[in-house]
């Protein structure tokens, strides 16, 4: 049996007790390789790595990678050439430099910063929109996910349970075969059944 479970929902009339908390639920985790299945509450599948973790596909990993790259580009846009590492620090430095009345070199520096600001203002909305779209797609994939992997301890418990059930079925099958294959004559030789008492007829005097 492999650790690969699919979340399914059954009809309300088929609701049964949760495997963990014994509350009524219509959510089932099904493992085709067992086969194995059990009921669980939806809540137990959310942020509960000690029980089960969601398994996402290649699309999820690809979007996650693109989001990381886009976030890095956004962070670079709020970093000035002078090395200010966040948006607030960069804006404060830009405002203070505009207010200063220094020499021509400072004026050139202000012009460069102004150009950088304009470029960032043109590029940032596009990157932010791209990041938001990726985030929405990631959220959609999470909400539609049906694949889960049990924690090592939980999966081993399921494997042990299935093995005990298998051995029990084998034992019952053997008992039934032994009973059905018993020869009645053999039973008579092995066991002594009580005989019916014999009565003598009454003699007339």
């Amino acid at each position: 049996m492999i650790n690969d479970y699919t979340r399914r929902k059954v009809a309300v009339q088929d609701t049964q007790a949760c495997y963990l908390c014994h509350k009524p639920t219509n959510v089932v985790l099904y493992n085709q390789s067992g086969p194995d299945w059990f009921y669980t509450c939806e809540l137990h599948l959310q942020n509960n790595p000690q029980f089960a973790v969601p398994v996402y596909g290649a699309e999820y990993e690809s979007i996650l990678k693109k989001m990381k790259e886009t976030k890095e580009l956004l962070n670079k846009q709020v970093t000035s050439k002078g090395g200010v590492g966040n948006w607030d620090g960069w804006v404060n430095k830009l405002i203070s430099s505009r207010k200063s009345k220094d020499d021509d070199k400072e004026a050139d520096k202000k012009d460069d910063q102004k150009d950088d600001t304009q470029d960032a203002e043109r590029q940032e909305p596009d990157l932010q929109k791209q990041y938001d779209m990726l985030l929405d797609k990631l959220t959609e994939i999470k909400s539609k996910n049906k694949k889960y992997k049990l924690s090592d301890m939980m999966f081993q418990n399921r494997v042990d349970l299935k093995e005990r059930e298998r051995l029990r079925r084998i034992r019952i099958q053997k008992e039934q075969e032994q009973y059905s294959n018993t020869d009645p004559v053999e039973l008579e030789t092995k066991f002594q059944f009580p005989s019916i008492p014999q009565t003598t007829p009454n003699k007339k005097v």
Side-chain angles (χ1 to χ4, degrees):
M1 190 166 71
I2 61 176
N3 195 353
D4 182 12
Y5 287 80
T6 302
R7 176 175 58 86
R8 295 180 179 178
K9 283 192 175 182
V10 299
V12 178
Q13 60 266 25
D14 295 326
T15 295
Q16 292 189 23
C18 170
Y19 179 70
L20 296 180
C21 66
H22 308 294
K23 293 180 180 178
T25 179
N26 66 333
V27 178
V28 176
L29 282 185
Y30 175 73
N31 187 338
Q32 187 174 0
S33 68
D36 181 35
W37 59 272
F38 58 91
Y39 284 78
T40 178
C41 294
E42 191 83 47
L43 182 64
H44 301 318
L45 299 176
Q46 301 174 6
N47 299 322
N48 193 0
Q50 293 182 345
F51 171 56
V53 292
V55 178
Y56 302 115
E59 184 183 8
Y60 177 88
E61 298 298 332
S62 176
I63 292 176
L64 204 61
K65 183 179 179 181
K66 289 180 182 178
M67 285 184 63
K68 183 178 179 181
E69 294 172 351
T70 306
K71 188 68 174 178
E72 289 176 354
L73 291 175
L74 282 169
N75 290 336
K76 288 180 180 179
Q77 285 185 357
V78 296
T79 303
S80 68
K81 290 183 178 180
V84 179
N86 57 70
W87 176 263
D88 293 335
W90 181 44
V91 171
N92 291 335
K93 182 178 180 181
L94 188 61
I95 293 173
S96 63
S97 66
R98 286 178 176 173
K99 290 181 179 180
S100 63
K101 302 296 181 179
D102 296 336
D103 53 12
D104 294 338
K105 183 177 179 180
E106 184 65 25
D108 292 339
K109 184 178 179 181
K110 288 191 296 181
D111 292 338
D112 291 340
Q113 290 174 336
K114 184 177 180 180
D115 293 338
D116 291 340
T117 304
Q118 291 174 348
D119 291 340
E121 288 175 351
R122 284 194 297 268
Q123 296 177 13
E124 183 184 357
D126 293 336
L127 284 175
Q128 186 63 51
K129 183 178 179 180
Q130 182 181 356
Y131 183 85
D132 292 341
M133 290 176 61
L134 291 171
L135 183 60
D136 291 341
K137 184 64 177 177
L138 201 70
T139 304
E140 181 183 358
I141 292 176
K142 285 185 175 182
S143 64
K144 292 183 178 180
N145 177 67
K146 294 184 178 181
K147 293 290 184 179
Y148 289 86
K149 179 180 179 180
L150 297 184
S151 67
D152 292 341
M153 183 179 68
M154 286 298 303
F155 182 64
Q156 189 59 50
N157 286 340
R158 296 303 302 178
V159 171
D160 293 343
L161 177 63
K162 299 303 291 185
E163 180 64 15
R164 289 195 298 270
E165 291 178 351
R166 186 184 70 84
L167 295 175
R168 178 175 174 273
R169 287 195 299 269
I170 292 175
R171 179 177 56 81
I172 293 175
Q173 183 179 3
K174 286 182 177 180
E175 290 176 354
Q176 290 177 344
E177 289 176 352
Q178 289 175 355
Y179 178 78
S180 60
N181 293 333
T182 303
D183 185 4
V185 177
E186 183 183 354
L187 276 177
E188 290 181 0
T189 58
K190 286 185 177 180
F191 302 98
Q192 271 193 341
F193 295 99
S195 59
I196 300 175
Q198 299 292 328
T199 59
T200 58
N202 295 329
K203 294 182 178 181
K204 295 182 179 179
V205 179

